[in-house]
Amino acid sequence: MAFAPQGWHDGETYMHSFLRVPERENPTFPGLSSYGSHLVLTSPLLALGTLDKEGRPWTTIIGGEPTCMRLMGRSIIIVNSLVDLKYDPVLEIIREAQGQDGENGIIIGGLPIDLASRNRVKLSGRLISGRPGLEINRLNDHDGFGEAQLVIKVESSLGNCPKYLNKKKIIPALPKPVMISDSPPLPDTAVRLLAKADMFFISSSTSNDQKRSIGTNHRGGPPGFVRILYNDASNGTALVFPEYSGNRLYQTLGNLHLYPRAGLCFPDFDTQDILYVTGITEIVAGKEAASLLPRSNLVVKLTVTAARFVHGSLPFRGLQDELSPYNPSVRFLTTEHASVVAKTANATTVCAKLVRKDLISPTIARFRFSISDPEAAGSYSPGQYIALSFEDELGMGYSHMRDDDPRSLNDDYIRTFTISSATQSLPRNQFEITIRNVGVVTNFLFRTQVRAGLEVPLKGFGGSFTLPTRSKEVVPFVAGGIGITPLLAHAAAGLDFGLLRLFWTVNIRDINLVIDTLSRFPAMAASARIFISGMNETAGDANKLLETLATFNSSSVSTSRLLASDILPQRDLAETWYLCTGPTLRKSLLKWLEGKKLVYEDFNY
């Protein structure tokens, strides 16, 4: 279903300009997207945020099992969860507002999140007004918990990247809330929670007006990534956390620019404790950020104005699984007596060394790396990505904002690249990536000579964009330009080209990538339809290159971009289609293939 793109508000526009972010459309979806609907039905946790009567944001998290949310219509969510009836500030605000919030209902920010799969979706909407909006079933007045049912109308949604999500297995549990502290400074137990916390949830708004909206999101990192600037009776409490490189939408920071207030909650997945804080925020950038939190270019300081630390409040526990491979090391405040370099959980540093570079076109190249310790690095599967850190090569350290390299601001120089090789095609200690020169890191790689002996830390493997290799079903795959890379890995692993149906659309400037691919995998040509766009652009010996391409399979080449008429007649090839394209083409494919199961990886992060 087509929709008009949502614009940016003034705070987001300011942050984009301040941080030199290229202009782009706002990807926020009006109502609840199909991706959001899926996560609502499968996520065991829901973070919620709203504003109290004083205009202060608060955040909580409830749930415990995947059945805690269900849908009623396209954009109505019904939430059923055990809750803390005594001390949860968000539930308290909602209960007090019932019947007093007018016909629209109070604003609600939501974040259904599945920590086992690192998936989440931002929601913004309103609680249905009146009695249906919130119903409480008091199960145990003595222990202070009950069951709450909330009905939320979703007005917008946005899928978020999994970049700093640390995996956990969520287990339902009975809450038995006990208030430990209801004001700053924080008690020792809350300080210990912050020292081990590897995530928190944050809510922010553009104003204290209930007619506006509120956003709720996640922040994650290594345990202890949130630092305590001070915490005492005379000064109160202030927290500092880094803003790592993300999707560059800056929606939370845009809110904070307009209305510098935020509500955070820190869940303790071991004890069911939770720390709630709300306060005044300050965005600190460049040299000032590095002076406050070394090796950072962008941080947020929160001066706590109200806090609650509640023991046993959460209706779930969480078993720790793997940390995100994106996590940088902990960054300590300049006021702390600690090493700037934090110790990692694994004492072995695994590196990837550049051993070969093949230039396919002026902007696309294939890079081969060798792994220093394959045992420590682990194995990878076709369709997965690898995370590499270029911080040692490109990091600014204490430098502030630079006009000559604005993208270095808020950049940890950790990048993920889809692996385009397979373990069957190379020695066990090697892998390849096929990439386009599009940014500061890729430009660095393109400029680096193999003889320089470049070695970078290997942070890990991830992703699950896997094609079926053992079934006898047809595999339709739609690729846009460099989006062919997951298929290259499967091809190297022995994919049955007889079952493949490839629709590959490329610009004429990238035709050498097609020629290179079909030269390496000639059998793929019979299963491929190639769509060449941009024929009116300058592309050198374009006709000669087209003639070369036609030698593989002349009937498979079209000098036009991929259109609906190319896909619609092929809808019944299979029930499951695989996509690796940019967001614009993917949006069209979601419409053309409505009703089909679509598997795609979002590489925007």
Side-chain angles (χ1 to χ4, degrees):
M1 181 173 64
F3 63 88
Q6 177 175 315
W8 303 105
H9 65 60
D10 290 345
E12 295 165 333
T13 300
Y14 171 83
M15 293 306 303
H16 294 169
S17 175
F18 179 64
L19 298 175
R20 313 289 180 87
V21 177
E23 186 175 345
R24 61 184 292 191
E25 287 186 354
N26 189 336
T28 302
F29 188 90
L32 186 62
S33 65
S34 57
Y35 174 76
S37 298
H38 172 73
L39 281 187
V40 164
L41 297 174
T42 58
S43 297
L45 298 178
L46 174 66
L48 291 172
T50 193
L51 301 176
D52 65 14
K53 291 184 292 186
E54 299 176 37
R56 300 178 301 183
W58 290 91
T59 308
T60 190
I61 183 164
I62 59 177
E65 47 192 338
T67 56
C68 69
M69 290 174 278
R70 65 184 191 275
L71 294 174
M72 184 174 71
R74 287 186 63 89
S75 294
I76 303 294
I77 298 175
I78 300 176
V79 185
N80 288 93
S81 174
L82 294 178
V83 294
D84 171 357
L85 294 177
K86 288 184 176 181
Y87 309 119
D88 186 319
V90 174
L91 266 294
E92 181 180 299
I93 294 166
I94 292 173
R95 292 167 71 182
E96 290 179 354
Q98 286 295 285
Q100 305 174 21
D101 49 283
E103 62 180 13
N104 291 323
I106 67 170
I107 57 175
I108 290 288
L111 189 80
I113 186 166
D114 181 2
L115 293 175
S117 64
R118 293 193 174 115
N119 288 319
R120 55 178 166 153
V121 61
K122 280 181 62 179
L123 310 175
S124 183
R126 295 182 178 273
L127 194 74
I128 298 294
S129 62
R131 178 177 174 80
L134 172 69
E135 293 188 0
I136 298 292
N137 180 17
R138 293 183 172 274
L139 301 180
N140 191 317
D141 281 334
H142 178 266
D143 288 330
F145 73 88
E147 184 177 49
Q149 176 177 282
L150 297 89
V151 183
I152 301 170
K153 181 180 180 181
V154 178
E155 296 174 347
S156 64
S157 60
L158 175 67
N160 278 168
C161 74
K163 201 168 186 181
Y164 304 106
L165 282 171
N166 300 305
K167 284 189 174 183
K168 289 177 172 58
K169 179 182 179 182
I170 301 302
I171 302 171
L174 291 178
K176 294 183 179 180
V178 177
M179 178 75 82
I180 304 299
S181 172
D182 62 357
S183 64
L186 304 179
D188 289 343
T189 45
V191 171
R192 289 195 293 270
L193 167 56
L194 290 174
K196 71 174 184 177
D198 62 10
M199 67 177 63
F200 66 86
F201 298 89
I202 180 171
S203 295
S204 60
S205 184
T206 56
S207 75
N208 61 357
D209 189 350
Q210 283 283 348
K211 294 181 180 179
R212 300 295 182 93
S213 63
I214 191 168
T216 299
N217 212 335
H218 156 277
R219 290 292 186 272
F225 76 105
V226 178
R227 311 309 299 168
I228 300 175
L229 185 61
Y230 50 80
N231 183 51
D232 54 65
S234 58
N235 296 306
T237 302
L239 308 177
V240 174
F241 60 89
E243 278 288 313
Y244 298 136
S245 174
N247 57 20
R248 307 190 79 189
L249 301 182
Y250 297 115
Q251 293 180 318
T252 299
L253 293 189
N255 288 348
L256 298 182
H257 174 72
L258 293 180
Y259 187 59
R261 305 286 189 277
L264 283 59
C265 74
F266 296 83
D268 189 324
F269 292 91
D270 299 323
T271 64
Q272 297 173 251
D273 298 350
I274 188 168
L275 172 64
Y276 302 103
V277 296
T278 188
I280 300 170
T281 60
E282 178 186 356
I283 300 171
V284 187
K287 183 178 180 180
E288 290 74 20
S291 297
L292 178 62
L293 193 69
R295 297 188 298 117
S296 298
N297 287 311
L298 193 62
V299 304
V300 175
K301 174 186 172 184
L302 176 77
T303 301
V304 177
T305 57
R308 296 181 183 183
F309 182 69
V310 187
H311 172 69
S313 175
L314 297 174
F316 59 84
R317 291 176 180 265
L319 301 179
Q320 183 69 56
D321 200 340
E322 65 181 11
L323 296 175
S324 170
Y326 293 91
N327 289 344
S329 58
V330 174
R331 300 171 183 176
F332 293 96
L333 297 163
T334 53
T335 55
E336 295 180 281
H337 300 287
S339 170
V340 174
V341 180
K343 296 179 180 179
T344 59
N346 185 349
T348 302
T349 299
V350 180
C351 290
K353 181 178 180 180
L354 181 63
V355 296
R356 179 171 173 173
K357 179 169 69 172
D358 296 309
L359 196 64
I360 297 172
S361 77
T363 60
I364 297 176
R366 182 166 51 249
F367 298 86
R368 182 178 299 182
F369 291 84
S370 64
I371 302 172
S372 62
D373 189 341
E375 292 295 334
S379 59
Y380 64 89
S381 302
Q384 288 196 298
Y385 59 76
I386 188 166
L388 301 174
S389 174
F390 293 82
E391 184 176 10
D392 292 341
E393 305 295 330
L394 300 171
M396 290 173 56
Y398 290 85
S399 299
H400 62 293
M401 294 173 60
R402 288 175 15 189
D403 289 337
D404 63 321
D405 188 12
R407 286 175 292 185
S408 61
L409 182 70
N410 189 36
D411 197 337
D412 55 17
Y413 298 106
I414 296 176
R415 297 292 189 270
T416 57
F417 303 101
T418 301
I419 300 171
S420 56
S421 59
T423 54
Q424 297 92 325
S425 61
L426 291 176
R428 182 172 176 269
N429 69 329
Q430 293 186 353
F431 67 90
E432 288 181 340
I433 57 175
T434 304
I435 60 175
R436 186 189 301 278
N437 187 355
V438 291
V440 61
V441 170
T442 52
N443 184 53
F444 170 74
L445 278 173
F446 270 70
R447 290 186 289 106
T448 300
Q449 299 299 318
V450 173
R451 63 176 179 271
L454 173 69
E455 283 190 287
V456 295
L458 190 160
K459 305 293 286 184
F461 303 102
S464 56
F465 191 70
T466 304
L467 305 182
T469 55
R470 297 184 179 180
S471 70
K472 297 300 181 183
E473 297 180 358
V474 171
V475 181
F477 189 102
V478 184
I482 200 69
I484 195 68
T485 49
L487 186 61
L488 299 182
H490 286 86
L495 178 69
D496 186 349
F497 293 126
L499 297 175
L500 175 67
R501 299 295 183 271
L502 172 61
F503 302 82
W504 189 3
T505 179
V506 299
N507 188 278
I508 184 64
R509 291 170 294 181
D510 296 333
I511 193 171
N512 275 322
L513 175 62
V514 182
I515 294 172
D516 177 82
T517 298
L518 298 184
S519 298
R520 298 173 67 207
F521 306 105
M524 185 187 294
S527 304
R529 291 186 61 190
I530 312 298
F531 301 85
I532 308 294
S533 63
M535 290 299 296
N536 58 337
E537 300 178 15
T538 301
D541 298 328
N543 291 328
K544 185 176 181 180
L545 292 172
L546 283 172
E547 291 175 6
T548 302
L549 182 59
T551 61
F552 293 98
N553 187 346
S554 60
S555 63
S556 69
V557 180
S558 301
T559 54
S560 65
R561 62 187 179 90
L562 182 67
L563 301 172
S565 57
D566 299 307
I567 295 295
L568 292 175
Q570 308 296 325
R571 278 175 49 88
D572 294 331
L573 280 174
E575 287 302 309
T576 303
W577 283 64
Y578 298 85
L579 319 178
C580 190
T581 71
T584 302
L585 178 56
R586 185 170 66 239
K587 188 184 297 184
S588 297
L589 288 165
L590 292 176
K591 179 181 178 180
W592 301 340
L593 295 170
E594 186 175 2
K596 298 293 183 179
K597 180 181 178 182
L598 304 180
V599 179
Y600 57 87
E601 189 82 71
D602 188 346
F603 296 98
N604 290 332
Y605 58 88

